[in-house]
Amino acid sequence: MPKPIVVGVDGSRESAAAAHWAAREALRRGLPLRVVHAWEGLPETAESESPSELRAPHYWARRVLRTVLDRLTSHHPGLYVSAEQIGKPPESALRAEMDNAELLVLGSRSHSGVGGLFTGSVALATVAHSFCPVALVRAGCSETDGRLPDGTGSAFPRAPYRDVALAVDLLRPSDELLEFAFRAAEYRRAPLRVIHAWHHPHGLGLPDADERARVRAAVEHALAEAVAPWREKFPAVYVRETLTEGRPAHEVPKEAGGAGLLVVGHRQRRPRIGTRTGPVTHAVMRHVTCPVVVVPHA
C-alpha cells in the first residue's frame, strides 16, 4: 500500500493552506492524504464526567479537524482522505507520522508573523530532526500561486506551472534530493531550475579574472555531471542550470524568486538538543514565499 502524504493542522491560516496544498499534491501523485491534529487534552472516557469548562477545549479541538476535513472533501473531489486526532505533543505526533509518510506537510509563518503550533517552533524542530521530506507552506498559498500569470498578470487554474527550483550542494550531492526535485517537476510538467551558489576560496589575496573564470568553468562542469544521470532518467523534464557567485544562504533565496516550489537538502546529523537546520534551510524558511520542501539526506 502506498504511503500517504501527511499534513499537520492546528486551526491556523497557515495550516489550512498547508492542508489544501497537501491535497493537491496527493491528487498529483495519486496518493492518499492523512490529516492529523495533535492535542493533549482530556481522554474521551473522562470528558463526559468533566465540567463544561473542561469539555469546551476538547470540543474546539475536534472542530478544528472536522472543519479541515469537510473543506478538503468539498474542494478536492476524488481525494482519498482520512483524519485522526492524536493525544500527544505536536513534536511527538509528527515524529511518529514520519515512519509512514511519503511527505509531511506543515504550515509555515513569516519571521514576524504569529501562527499556530505547527507553524512556529514545532515546524522548525520537525525540519531539524526529520527523516522524511517536509513541505512548508505559507498562509494564503493557493493553486494559482504555483502557476504562470497570463498577459494581464493573473493566473488561472489550468495555466502552466512555475519552475521547480532545486538548490544543489556539489560537496554533498544527494540522490534523494535530486530524485525528489525531478519527480516534483515531472508531476507538474514544469521546468526544473537547478541552482548552485559558488564562491572562490580566498587565499592570499583576491583572485584575478582568469582565475575566477577557471573556477567557474570547473564548477559548471561539476554541476552538469551531477545532473546528467537524472536528465536521462527524466527525459521529459526541461532542466536549466543556474550558477551564481556568493554564499548559498544569500544567493539561493534570491535565485528561487518566481519559482512555484523550492527543494533544498538538509544533512542528517546525530540527534541533538535544539533546532539547528543549517544556514541555507534557515534562510529559505525565513525569506522564500513559495512552498519549500526540505529533503533529508546523509
Side-chain angles (χ1 to χ4, degrees), residues 267-285:
R267 188 182 180 190
Q268 290 177 309
R269 297 177 175 88
R270 292 181 179 180
R272 67 177 72 192
I273 297 174
T275 56
R276 183 178 177 184
T277 57
V280 175
T281 303
H282 186 71
V284 301
M285 287 176 67

Side-chain angles (χ1 to χ4, degrees), residues 86-115:
I86 302 175
K88 293 181 179 179
E91 297 95 330
S92 300
L94 295 174
R95 182 174 290 273
E97 291 296 322
M98 290 181 193
D99 290 330
N100 191 42
E102 182 73 17
L103 173 67
L104 178 62
V105 185
L106 301 174
S108 176
R109 60 178 173 83
S110 63
H111 182 62
S112 59
V114 177

Side-chain angles (χ1 to χ4, degrees), residues 282-293:
H282 186 71
V284 301
M285 287 176 67
R286 291 186 60 184
H287 302 298
V288 174
T289 57
C290 73
V292 175
V293 176

Side-chain angles (χ1 to χ4, degrees), residues 21 141 145-147 161-165 188 193 256 258-262 290-292:
W21 187 91
C141 176
D145 290 338
R147 296 181 182 269
Y161 280 100
R162 294 177 181 270
D163 293 2
V164 173
R188 290 164 172 76
R193 188 192 318 167
L261 178 69
L262 172 61
C290 73
V292 175

Side-chain angles (χ1 to χ4, degrees), residues 25-49:
E25 192 69 12
L27 287 171
R28 270 192 288 265
R29 294 169 176 250
L31 295 175
L33 177 66
R34 173 172 163 81
V35 184
V36 297
H37 177 229
W39 183 74
E40 291 184 282
L42 293 170
E44 292 191 12
T45 54
E47 183 187 4
S48 60
E49 304 172 1

Side-chain angles (χ1 to χ4, degrees), residues 59-261:
Y59 166 79
W60 287 109
R62 287 184 298 183
R63 183 171 177 176
V64 166
L65 194 59
R66 186 168 58 248
T67 299
V68 171
L69 188 59
D70 289 345
R71 290 176 179 173
L72 289 177
T73 54
S74 173
H75 285 80
H76 306 281
L79 175 68
Y80 179 81
V81 56
S82 61
E84 183 179 358
Q85 194 162 55
I86 302 175
K88 293 181 179 179
E91 297 95 330
S92 300
L94 295 174
R95 182 174 290 273
E97 291 296 322
M98 290 181 193
D99 290 330
N100 191 42
E102 182 73 17
L103 173 67
L104 178 62
V105 185
L106 301 174
S108 176
R109 60 178 173 83
S110 63
H111 182 62
S112 59
V114 177
L117 288 174
F118 287 158
T119 62
S121 61
V122 172
L124 185 62
T126 301
V127 169
H129 302 293
S130 67
F131 47 89
C132 80
V134 178
L136 302 169
V137 181
R138 301 284 195 195
C141 176
S142 68
E143 167 67 4
T144 55
D145 290 338
R147 296 181 182 269
L148 291 170
D150 58 18
T152 66
S154 61
F156 57 94
R158 296 190 180 276
Y161 280 100
R162 294 177 181 270
D163 293 2
V164 173
L166 165 65
V168 172
D169 180 358
L170 292 177
L171 294 179
R172 302 181 185 91
S174 163
D175 287 345
E176 297 94 336
L177 178 66
L178 286 158
E179 182 175 9
F180 187 99
F182 269 86
R183 288 201 184 279
E186 183 180 58
Y187 287 131
R188 290 164 172 76
R189 298 181 181 178
L192 178 63
R193 188 192 318 167
V194 183
I195 303 166
H196 177 69
W198 67 280
H199 62 279
H200 190 282
H202 297 305
L204 299 176
L206 295 175
D208 58 24
D210 290 341
E211 175 66 10
R212 181 176 279 107
R214 186 189 66 78
V215 173
R216 181 184 174 88
V219 173
E220 187 174 11
H221 177 72
L223 181 61
E225 283 197 328
V227 173
W230 298 96
R231 285 180 180 268
E232 294 180 5
K233 291 180 182 180
F234 295 89
V237 176
Y238 173 77
V239 183
R240 184 177 48 152
E241 296 159 14
T242 300
L243 286 179
T244 179
E245 186 173 3
R247 298 288 179 179
H250 296 153
E251 299 301 321
V252 170
K254 291 192 296 184
E255 292 297 328
L261 178 69

